Amino acid sequence: MLSPYLPLIAAVAALEPELRAAADADLGRRADALRQRARAGQPLADLRVEGIALVREAALRVLGQRLFDVQVAGGMALHEGKVVEMQTGEGKTLTAVAPVFLEALLGRGAHVLTFNDYLARRDAAWMGPVYSLLGLGVGFVQEGMTFAERQRAYGCDVTYLTAKEAGFDLLRDQLCLERGEQVHRPLAFALVDEADSILVDEARIPMVIAGAVEGQPAGLGRLAELARRLEARVDFDTDEHRRNVFLTEAGSEHVEAVLGCGNLFDAGNTPLLAAIRSALHAEHLLQRDVDYIVRRGVVELVDELTGRVAEGRQWPDGLQAAVEAKEGLRLGADGRLLGAVTLQHFLRLYPRLAGMTATARPAAEELRELYGLEVAVIPPNRPCLRDDQPDAIYAHGEARDAAVVAEIASAHAAGRPVLVGTASVAESERLAARLRRDGTACQVLNAKNDEQEAGIIAEAGALGAVTISTNMAGRGTDIRLGGQAERDRERVLALGGLYVIGTTLHESARIDRQLRGRAGRQGDPGTSRFFLSLDDELLQRYGIAGLLPRSLVFEPAGTPIESKVVRGEVARAQRIAEGECFEARKRLFRYSDVIETQRRYVAQWRQALVDDEAELELLQGRTAERWQRLVATLGPAAARQAERRLTLLAIDRCWSDYLTEMQALRDEVHLVALDGREPLAVFIKTAIGAFEGLVERIEDGVVEAFEALAFTPGGIDWDAEGLRGPSATWTYLVNDRVFGNNVLMTLASRASIGLWGVLLLWPVLFLWGLRLHWKRRAEKGRRRPGG
């Protein structure tokens, strides 16, 4: 897709001799002239040729790297507000500098949203000298930075940070009472690295800010022990994909007998029932070293997309506390919900947005539908020589694992570096232990030792290196052949380059492509291959083995299945999973969109108050006499500031209550489907009606607080009045779900559904149970030896 940019590429090249002869100071003066023209209103499109030419020359001088023509084209596409697909190893980090430089000329701040804190810090330090030569300041934001450090970083022309940090800072800013307490400037432009991951995979995840409240959940340790003793398929059961768990009738009676709580489904036992379900989910559906790790006495979630610890993320609805109780850990703080925004909606706040990734095309429809972003595919500077071999598919996991170990040992014996991508911490450690028992030395990279990531990746391409990793070795890692110093590069090239092995498919083929992309970078040779098993979680979920001839399923151990039917079904399972995830994201977007529209309204009102630009006539109109006493006592300016502060605090309190109400509504609204209503329509209608009353609630809250307010000529003691913001806040991400529990089981556990509800529900539950019964009989039949 270079043809549209060829005239501009030629124009940039034509300026090279002139700029090459210029002194460093002359480059800075030319960049300053561009800045003045941009701020005077000249369109950036008129400045892009000279701007990109300046970046090309500055990068050559500072980094010793001259932008290739394909990088110039990529920079132009990014400047046009597109998502650019460039293959791994093509220099996207440097490509981003030109469009970011152009946007930064306007003086409104340009954000580069990276995949993690390490990349934000690395890229700011790496590209910073290029911007500096052209007169621009560069900063970066990291988790744990102080307010002053963040404010300085956001004040720079260019700021590198993660989308998560930018979003959390927005939520914190929206609790501030004074403009000087905020760190963000008005959002202007963001360039999103690994765009498909941030804009698509993680976009539905809500970022949440909470404030401390008194009280901790009680009795969770006892419930964890009870959940541990309950017997599967006797006391509890799960849905077919093991995403939800629920008590059976026998299990309910068992729990009631142990706890002595009476009817578990009485209205008064609703909190207890919710806690029991969380304990069951934690014990039987969430696995240590797969879904989470325990490190330094803390439960840390593992991001299924990246294999890394999901910093600051926790499960909702009491599930986090249940996991902590399961592991016998001290329970974390409970909190009051103060604000929330999904990554998807936060990113849509930027007036100008662009992105880059190696895997944009599969997500093109979603990027267009949700963000209005088109995809531009930029060809590689050098042809890709990687050999992507067909998947090796085995009937059973044991056969697959044996084949993987043999393949690694063979490559290692020849000296070829091998990178193995696994699905979980547990699998990475299990495979590494087996290799070591067989005499093959290896390094392990997973969420437990992420602090060693840089050192392990630096040598993953060394002669004879074997690296076993979770998805951590996917996005953002640059593996150099021959090791960090590339001392044995020629020998590794002669062996065929890096060999990448995958041990399972993910729900998205894009993640698998990212793993493959660690090999064959910048025209180097390389090989990739996936070794799969029909009992892998993804393939089991869609019953692939049950769709195949028995002769294929029971191939002799160690023999890969060679069948177009099998390959087709495996590919179909992944397409189905991708489609389901896409639909789930769209569904979640529709639910959150109405709340986001309301959040923006409240945020604009609140910011006008913070900036002291809002009209304030409420107290003067509703409590005129007391208002006049306030003005007479404190003066007009102080009285206005008092009303401004009371209004801000009332907004925060009422918005917090409103969010809690809407969260409860969304958890329950799916029940209306049983009487023929559309849950989304009911949710939107209810949310709109509730929001219409929110402004009135806020105004009533302001008046009530004012009427109780004590003031003297010396002023107002806000601490004594209890009228301050939250004393402590923390932020976290929530693993969002469309609905929390199985709909039918939720209904079955509610005593309030009435006679008609029971009559409606009974035949549905009967048929659903019958289906599970025959499904299990079929599974038992397939497991019989020789069957």
Side-chain angles (χ1 to χ4, degrees):
M1 194 175 170
L2 283 183
S3 53
Y5 302 108
L6 289 177
L8 294 170
I9 291 171
V12 170
L15 288 175
E16 281 193 87
E18 177 185 345
L19 295 178
R20 188 68 45 81
D24 286 357
D26 293 331
L27 295 184
R29 280 190 288 270
R30 293 186 69 148
D32 186 59
L34 287 182
R35 183 184 301 107
Q36 294 179 29
R37 290 162 62 188
R39 297 183 186 183
Q42 189 167 356
L44 291 180
D46 296 346
L47 311 179
R48 60 179 172 175
V49 169
E50 185 175 358
I52 293 175
L54 283 169
V55 169
R56 176 182 258 181
E57 181 60 29
L60 181 63
R61 296 187 185 194
V62 173
L63 305 176
Q65 300 178 31
R66 176 184 175 275
L67 274 77
F68 301 124
D69 285 351
V70 292
Q71 291 174 304
V72 171
M76 290 177 174
L78 289 167
H79 172 65
E80 292 171 349
K82 294 180 179 178
V83 174
V84 170
E85 177 174 292
M86 297 176 69
Q87 289 189 16
T88 53
E90 289 295 307
K92 290 189 290 294
T93 304
L94 180 56
T95 298
V97 174
V100 171
F101 168 74
L102 288 170
E103 291 290 339
L105 293 175
L106 295 169
R108 299 182 303 203
H111 295 174
V112 183
L113 303 180
T114 63
F115 195 57
N116 55 48
D117 275 359
Y118 163 72
L119 292 175
R121 185 174 63 252
R122 184 202 72 178
D123 293 354
W126 186 11
M127 298 295 130
V130 180
Y131 294 111
S132 181
L133 182 58
L134 300 176
L136 297 183
V138 179
F140 63 91
V141 175
Q142 304 272 274
E143 185 176 4
M145 273 187 167
T146 65
F147 163 77
E149 291 170 332
R150 289 174 184 271
Q151 200 171 53
R152 281 196 299 270
Y154 284 114
C156 293
D157 297 299
V158 179
T159 308
Y160 285 81
L161 72 165
T162 64
K164 177 190 72 174
E165 286 300 314
F168 282 147
D169 280 330
L170 178 83
L171 292 174
R172 281 186 284 259
D173 279 354
Q174 291 178 352
L175 293 175
C176 293
L177 302 178
E178 304 293 339
R179 182 68 185 92
E181 298 170 353
Q182 296 178 324
V183 297
H184 269 297
R185 293 186 278 174
L187 301 178
F189 170 78
L191 192 156
V192 184
D193 195 8
E194 303 297 353
D196 60 320
S197 178
I198 295 173
L199 293 173
V200 174
D201 296 329
E202 297 194 25
R204 65 183 174 85
I205 298 173
M207 297 177 286
V208 174
I209 186 167
V213 296
E214 296 298 323
Q216 287 280 2
L220 291 183
R222 185 184 182 194
L223 294 184
E225 179 59 32
L226 174 58
R228 194 171 297 123
R229 296 202 308 266
L230 294 179
E231 187 177 347
R233 298 189 177 178
V234 175
D235 297 312
F236 68 91
D237 216 329
T238 65
D239 61 18
E240 59 183 321
H241 298 327
R242 288 185 56 80
R243 291 178 175 172
N244 297 288
V245 62
F246 42 85
L247 289 170
T248 63
E249 184 177 351
S252 300
E253 294 173 355
H254 185 168
V255 170
E256 289 168 352
V258 171
L259 298 181
C261 60
N263 187 344
L264 188 58
F265 303 116
D266 282 346
N269 278 330
T270 299
L272 176 61
L273 180 58
I276 290 169
R277 283 182 174 149
S278 292
L280 280 169
H281 195 115
E283 179 63 35
H284 300 290
L285 298 188
L286 296 177
Q287 300 178 53
R288 183 169 178 167
D289 292 341
V290 176
D291 302 293
Y292 65 93
I293 63 172
V294 177
R295 184 165 55 178
R296 294 183 287 274
V298 176
V299 169
E300 297 182 315
L301 277 65
V302 176
D303 190 321
E304 61 185 330
L305 300 173
T306 68
R308 303 173 188 273
V309 165
E311 297 288 350
R313 190 176 303 181
Q314 68 180 48
W315 285 291
D317 306 328
L319 188 54
Q320 183 78 18
V323 174
E324 292 167 347
K326 167 189 173 180
E327 296 293 342
L329 303 174
R330 180 179 178 273
L331 298 182
D334 198 5
R336 175 185 177 90
L337 177 61
L338 299 176
V341 63
T342 65
L343 274 168
Q344 191 174 66
H345 285 111
F346 167 68
L347 293 166
R348 286 159 58 98
L349 294 176
Y350 284 93
R352 297 242 317 135
L353 193 64
M356 55 188 187
T357 179
T359 46
R361 275 177 291 182
E365 178 187 353
E366 196 162 350
L367 292 168
R368 184 183 305 111
E369 183 173 331
L370 295 180
Y371 300 95
L373 295 173
E374 298 295 330
V375 170
V377 180
I378 305 298
N381 185 52
R382 298 174 183 171
C384 180
L385 302 180
R386 187 181 64 243
D387 177 17
D388 293 329
Q389 295 185 0
D391 298 340
I393 305 172
Y394 293 83
H396 306 291
E398 179 58 36
R400 186 269 316 277
D401 292 348
V404 168
V405 169
E407 190 78 359
I408 295 170
S410 175
H412 177 66
R416 188 177 187 184
V418 181
L419 172 68
V420 186
T422 62
S424 68
V425 172
E427 185 185 352
S428 66
E429 294 181 340
R430 187 171 61 248
L431 179 59
R434 183 165 178 172
L435 285 168
R436 289 165 180 157
R437 282 199 307 269
D438 292 349
T440 302
C442 61
Q443 292 287 332
V444 179
L445 175 60
N446 60 38
K448 287 185 174 180
N449 65 340
D450 49 6
E451 68 279 358
Q452 301 172 31
E453 177 179 1
I456 293 174
I457 290 298
E459 294 301 322
L463 195 69
V466 175
T467 307
I468 313 298
S469 177
T470 56
N471 290 350
M472 289 177 65
R475 297 179 185 271
T477 55
D478 188 6
I479 297 175
R480 299 189 177 189
L481 299 187
Q484 186 173 18
E486 300 184 271
R487 55 193 176 277
D488 294 313
R489 175 176 169 79
E490 294 305 318
R491 294 177 65 185
V492 172
L493 285 172
L495 291 168
L498 182 67
Y499 187 6
V500 171
I501 293 174
T503 64
T504 188
L505 293 182
H506 293 89
E507 287 186 337
S508 171
R510 290 181 288 104
I511 300 173
D512 299 332
R513 283 183 58 192
Q514 287 286 345
L515 179 61
R516 292 185 190 273
R518 299 314 101 192
R521 300 162 72 86
Q522 275 290 340
D524 289 337
T527 304
S528 74
R529 193 176 196 189
F530 277 74
F531 289 73
L532 311 176
S533 163
L534 294 183
D535 54 15
D536 287 347
E537 193 276 331
L538 178 66
L539 304 185
Q540 273 193 328
R541 185 191 310 170
Y542 297 104
I544 299 300
L547 299 174
L548 303 175
R550 300 174 76 81
S551 59
L552 291 178
V553 176
F554 292 98
E555 289 275 349
T559 304
I561 299 172
E562 299 296 340
S563 167
K564 290 183 179 179
V565 173
V566 174
R567 295 189 188 283
E569 288 300 321
V570 168
R572 185 179 69 88
Q574 193 171 51
R575 288 195 302 272
I576 292 172
E578 287 178 325
E580 288 181 348
C581 290
F582 183 23
E583 289 303 315
R585 288 191 293 268
K586 288 198 294 185
R587 197 155 55 244
L588 287 161
F589 175 81
R590 295 188 190 108
Y591 275 92
S592 59
D593 199 41
V594 62
I595 304 300
E596 172 59 16
T597 301
Q598 296 168 348
R599 189 201 64 79
R600 291 191 188 190
Y601 174 86
V602 171
Q604 290 168 3
W605 178 18
R606 196 186 188 287
Q607 191 60 45
L609 286 162
V610 170
D611 295 335
D612 203 8
E613 297 173 353
E615 293 185 7
L616 293 172
E617 300 176 349
L618 175 65
L619 297 181
Q620 187 175 356
R622 288 181 56 175
T623 59
E625 183 179 343
R626 184 171 173 79
W627 170 257
Q628 291 303 327
R629 290 207 309 271
L630 178 68
V631 173
T633 304
L634 299 181
R640 175 181 173 83
Q641 292 306 312
E643 181 171 2
R644 185 180 70 88
R645 185 186 190 96
L646 289 173
T647 307
L648 285 168
L649 293 171
I651 289 173
D652 293 345
R653 184 172 59 256
C654 293
W655 179 247
S656 172
D657 292 341
Y658 182 77
L659 285 179
T660 301
E661 292 165 10
M662 290 302 102
Q663 187 177 63
L665 171 65
R666 195 177 122 179
D667 286 344
E668 300 295 335
V669 74
H670 55 284
L671 302 178
V672 305
L674 288 171
D675 63 7
R677 289 182 290 167
E678 167 55 43
L680 177 61
V682 172
F683 179 84
I684 292 174
K685 181 179 179 180
T686 307
I688 291 173
F691 189 73
E692 289 174 354
L694 179 64
V695 173
E696 184 177 344
R697 286 163 59 182
I698 291 171
E699 291 179 347
D700 289 345
V702 175
V703 172
E704 182 181 347
F706 177 56
E707 290 177 340
L709 186 68
F711 51 87
T712 66
I716 300 170
D717 188 338
W718 295 103
D719 286 330
E721 296 292 322
L723 292 172
R724 284 197 171 276
S727 59
T729 64
W730 66 92
T731 56
Y732 58 90
L733 292 151
V734 176
N735 281 1
D736 204 3
R737 297 171 293 174
V738 183
F739 302 123
N741 295 306
N742 179 279
V743 176
L744 298 175
M745 291 303 103
T746 300
L747 272 174
S749 69
R750 297 181 71 85
S752 59
I753 62 174
L755 176 61
W756 287 108
V758 173
L759 292 175
L760 172 69
L761 181 60
W762 182 86
V764 180
L765 283 172
F766 175 79
L767 293 173
W768 182 78
L770 196 63
R771 175 180 174 275
L772 279 181
H773 171 74
W774 286 107
K775 181 175 182 290
R776 288 174 190 144
R777 286 197 61 176
E779 287 174 349
K780 288 178 182 178
R782 285 198 296 271
R783 292 192 192 105
R784 289 194 188 105

